Every structure is written in C-alpha cells, then in structure tokens.
C-alpha cells in the first residue's frame, strides 16, 4: 500500500514509524515532512495546509490511504476534499474538526449533553466581556474561540490581567479572527491527563493515557510551549477514573457529535483535569497530540494502520486496539530560547548506541547534514518496564544527541514519579 501522511512534526514522525511496522505498507509519503522524517518516508514539497496540492498528489500517485494529522488542514476540510476525490482518509471531516476549531462550539456541546467541564460564558463583543471579567471569580480563564497555535488560553490571576487578556484577544486581535469570540471560564484545579482515543463515530477506544509538560522550564515555570516532554501512562489516571471518563465523557462526546450530525472519525484528544468534583474536560483536540503521540504510539502493540482504517470504515468495535503494560518517556530537545526567539541551522549529530526512538520535529537536510530548523527540534523516547526506568533511559540517550544551543527540561516525569510514590 502507498500511504500519505500530512504534517511535519515529531508527532508525524512517530505516526510514520508506527505505520511502517505493517508489512503491507510499501511507501509512505510525508507532505511536507522534514529532514529527519526523510529517513523513514519520502518527503514531498506540499505544505500541510495545501488542500489542492494534497488532493493532486494523492491522485497522481495512487495513494491508498491518507492520514491527516495537524489541526489546520483538518479544520480547513482536507479530509472532506480527499474523500471527495476518492482517497480514503484517517481524520475527522470539517464539520467534526470544529470540536477543536471552535471553543464556543465545544463548550456549547458539553453544556447541551451534560459532559463535565468548567462553567463558562461566551462573548462576541469586548465591552460585554470587559464588564463581565470585572465581577467574575479569580483566577479567570480567557480563551480565544479559534485555533491559536496552542497559545489562545490566558489565565488571569488579577482583574487587571483579566482585562488585559480580553483586550489583547478582542481589541488588539493577538490571534486574529480566532479572537472574534471568546470563552471566559471557571478556573479548575487538579492533575491534568491527556487521553487520545480512536473512534469511528460510534465506538471509542482510548489509547494509553499520558502526561504533557507544557511549560518551558523545570518545575513548570516559564512560558507555555507546544510541550517539552511526556510520559505514559499517566499515574493519576487510575482504572476507576478511566471507567468514569468512559461513562461520563468519552462515549457521551462521541454520541453527542453523532446526534449533532457531525460523527467524529479519527483520533479525538481529551485534555482532562481530575478535579475534586471528578474528571472534567479542559479541551478537545481533533487529532493526535504532540508530544503525547511520541509516548503513546511506541506503547501500541496492535497495528496502527488497521486501527486507522477501522476508524474510517466504521468497524472499530470489531478491531483490536492493544497497548503494552510498559512505560514510556519522551524528552523534547529544543532550540535554546524557544518558544520565543531562537537560532537555527546547527548540525545535529548522534552518538553510537542510542536505543531510544528519536522523532524529529524541526530539522532540514542540507548537503547531507541534518540541521536544526525549529523551536522543538526532536523528541527522545525510551520505553521500559517501569516509569523510572523509562525516564532514566530517555535522559541517558538525550546525552547522545548533540547540536549547538540545545535545551531540554531536566524534570520530565518527576511529577508522575511523585504520584506513584503517594
Ligand atoms: P489549552 O490550550 O486549552 O490546552 O489550555 C492550555 C492550558 O491552560 C491547559 O493545559 C491547562 O493547564 C490550562 N487551562 C485551560 N483551561 C483551564 C481551566 N478552566 N482551569 C485551569 N486551567 C486551565
Ligand atoms: N500537547 C498538546 C497538544 O498537542 O495540543
């Protein structure tokens, strides 16, 4: 089979590596991929948001199955366009991807179907929002409605910060049209858990849980990033909590989307907070998370392509989705300065003896050399029988990867270890 994977990050590299385990896969094309992905797939110079380009490439190259991974093309309707051209796809249609594309949509969906989430108000004009945040409980969470590269959530500790948050999104239009509407919501507390789930629109099969580390620096200090590392499973997510989530969140969400005439097929990402009042939804993403995918897929024992095709064909109930009992840890190596200003163009080299998986996110090939080309450069993922062993193994291999100006957090998994000790 000939496959095509849309995107260019560490997540896509992890997806491609896993897809390659299926012996029926002959060639994988990555649109556009990156210099590191080029070791595992044929990179094609078509941008991840170029819907026409993707359709043309798929037709010309007789692609048997396409995997659309990033949020932008999903929200723009790439799956609809590929399917209309006869190319079977893994990923939600545009009318279902709105679950990530519009926070107003997702909050209203949860309210209508009684799915636990933070209480909230929606505003489409700045004056009303400013008046509201003046009396809302603190801290106050202000969210831009649309996609904002994961930066559209502002947590205000004071009235002044809340006012500033509304102004920056609605008046200064920091996230452009994504801030035409905002959600102002209750601040929740508790450990966060990411759960990615396969779904065919009727059946939902959760993958192993994980824990992201979003802040740039150790002890969860510094700016929010795309994610500086992950561990799986997430020790806070016990069997009992998983059962509650299935009953009150996962299946109700899938059923709600179907009832709205927007069946969700693909990978639905549940960003959960385990609050004192039970698990609640912080956010939905219409896709695999990054770097969650870099710890989840290495623990998958059943076949990824089979599960993806079952999601598309509506046969997930009869399809095996199995994960190992082991643990995984992914440490992201970034360019120093990320998520703000950083330099790129430095050569990446590896020592002998790396046993971890290295998933490349921001790199390009030039004259046979792999050069840094982004904020998050690569992820180093180790799998072991226990979480402490996975963390040690990942950090041992981090020392075997070299590039100038490299930066990584030194405490990935520490909070998870504390939870295990409790
Ligand atoms: P998001 O981009 O929606 O994942 O939000 C980014 C981060 O903001 C989340 O991972 C949470 O840590 C935090 N966050 C979002 N919403 C809330 C909330 N209602 N209460 C507390 N923290 C929140
Ligand atoms: N790691 C969070 C996300 O992919 O949005």
């Amino acid at each position: 089979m000939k496959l095509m994977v849309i995107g260019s990050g560490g997540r896509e590299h992890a997806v491609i590596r896993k897809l390659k385990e299926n012996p029926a896969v002959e060639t994988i094309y990555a649109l556009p991929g990156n210099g590191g992905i080029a070791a595992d797939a044929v990179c094609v110079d078509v941008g991840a948001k170029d819907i026409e380009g993707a359709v043309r490439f798929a037709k010309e190259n007789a692609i048997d199955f396409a995997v659309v991974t990033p949020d932008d093309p999903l929200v723009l309707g790439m799956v609809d366009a590929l399917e209309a051209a006869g190319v079977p796809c893994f990923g939600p249609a545009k009318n279902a991807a709105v679950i990530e594309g519009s926070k107003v949509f997702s909050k209203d969906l949860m309210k209508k179907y009684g799915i636990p989430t933070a209480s909230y108000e929606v505003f489409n004009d700045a004056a009303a929002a400013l008046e509201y945040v003046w009396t809302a409980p603190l801290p106050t969470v202000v969210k831009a409605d649309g996609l904002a590269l994961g930066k559209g959530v502002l947590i205000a500790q004071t009235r002044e910060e809340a006012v500033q948050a509304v102004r920056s999104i609605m008046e200064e239009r920091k996230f452009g049209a994504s801030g035409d509407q905002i959600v102002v919501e209750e601040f929740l507390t508790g450990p966060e858990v990411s759960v990615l789930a396969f779904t065919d629109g009727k059946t939902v099969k959760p993958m192993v849980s994980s824990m992201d580390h979003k802040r740039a620096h150790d002890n969860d200090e510094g700016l929010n990033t795309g994610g500086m590392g992950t561990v799986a499973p997430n020790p806070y997510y016990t069997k009992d909590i998983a059962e509650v989530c299935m009953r009150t969140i996962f299946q109700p969400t899938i059923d709600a989307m179907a009832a709205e005439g927007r069946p969700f097929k693909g990978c639905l990402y549940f960003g959960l907070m385990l609050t004192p009042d039970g698990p609640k939804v912080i956010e939905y993403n219409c896709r695999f998370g990054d770097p969650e995918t870099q710890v989840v897929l290495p623990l998958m024992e059943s076949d990824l392509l089979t599960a993806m095709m079952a999601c598309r064909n509506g046969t997930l109930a009869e399809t095996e989705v199995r994960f190992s009992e082991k643990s995984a840890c992914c440490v992201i190596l970034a360019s120093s300065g990320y998520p703000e200003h950083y330099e790129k163009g430095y050569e990446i080299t590896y020592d002998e003896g790396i046993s971890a998986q290295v998933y490349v996110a921001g790199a390009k090939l030039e004259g046979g050399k792999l050069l840094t080309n982004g904020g998050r450069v690569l992820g180093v993922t180790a799998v072991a029988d226990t979480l402490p062993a996975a963390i040690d193994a990942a950090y041992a291999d981090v020392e075997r990867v070299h590039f100038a100006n490299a930066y990584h957090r030194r405490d990935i998994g520490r909070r998870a270890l504390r939870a295990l000790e409790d």
Side-chain angles (χ1 to χ4, degrees), residues 35-36 345-349 363-373:
Y346 297 111
E347 187 178 1
I348 303 167
T349 58
K364 63 177 177 186
L365 275 174
E366 224 173 73
K369 290 181 175 172
L370 192 61
L371 306 180
T372 64
N373 193 35

Side-chain angles (χ1 to χ4, degrees), residues 11 100 212 214 226-227 269 283 285 287-292:
R11 165 183 59 199
E100 173 170 5
D212 194 4
K214 286 204 166 112
Y269 169 125
E283 64 162 349
N285 291 327
R287 53 176 172 86
F288 285 98
D290 197 359
E292 284 88 341

Side-chain angles (χ1 to χ4, degrees), residues 133-141 155-163 185-187:
V133 297
W134 210 247
T135 54
L138 288 170
T140 297
V141 183
I155 297 177
Q157 304 291 342
T158 64
R159 299 263 167 246
E160 290 68 27
E161 281 175 21
V163 166
E185 73 177 25
E186 173 197 9
F187 180 77

Side-chain angles (χ1 to χ4, degrees), residues 103 118 141 143 150 153 155 185-188 192 214 224 273 282-283:
K103 295 217 190 301
V141 183
K143 299 186 172 184
V153 175
I155 297 177
E185 73 177 25
E186 173 197 9
F187 180 77
L188 299 177
E192 283 186 58
K214 286 204 166 112
N224 252 325
M273 198 170 266
I282 288 282
E283 64 162 349

